Amino acid sequence: MQPMPAAALVLSHGRNGFGADNAGGNRNLAPTSDDEVENNNEDQRFVMHPPRAADRPGGEFDDLLLPLSPDWLRGRLCDPASLCAGG
């Protein structure tokens, strides 16, 4: 899988919610699959692929990620776009 740079990332821990902070201010059960652990370890690397059931090789995966590119963000934050020229 190819790395994809992103300026920002929106992450949902999916239906199982493993590793997410809940409304009560506590953390849900820790994830058990390597891919969900990677999305919960607070580094700058994330895994994105289709959902996978718990009985499949690699274990359960239901995280949802939305990477936002630098160009997309600039296009939304700069009006007119020339305000962000050069960078």
Side-chain angles (χ1 to χ4, degrees):
M1 209 173 273
Q2 293 287 344
M4 182 172 69
L9 181 85
V10 179
L11 167 66
S12 166
H13 290 287
R15 184 175 210 142
N16 69 23
F18 292 160
D21 294 330
N22 61 42
N26 299 308
R27 185 157 285 188
N28 293 344
L29 293 174
T32 56
S33 74
D34 289 343
D35 292 340
E36 286 197 359
V37 168
E38 180 61 47
N39 289 345
N40 197 52
N41 67 4
E42 300 180 10
D43 66 9
Q44 292 184 6
R45 183 170 183 214
F46 295 88
V47 176
M48 180 172 68
H49 59 72
R52 184 176 59 216
D55 62 349
R56 303 300 304 235
E60 183 172 16
F61 182 85
D62 70 347
D63 291 0
L64 303 170
L65 286 84
L66 177 62
L68 305 176
S69 74
D71 290 335
W72 185 91
L73 258 157
R74 269 192 293 278
R76 300 315 179 269
L77 298 173
C78 300
D79 187 25
S82 62
L83 291 175
C84 290

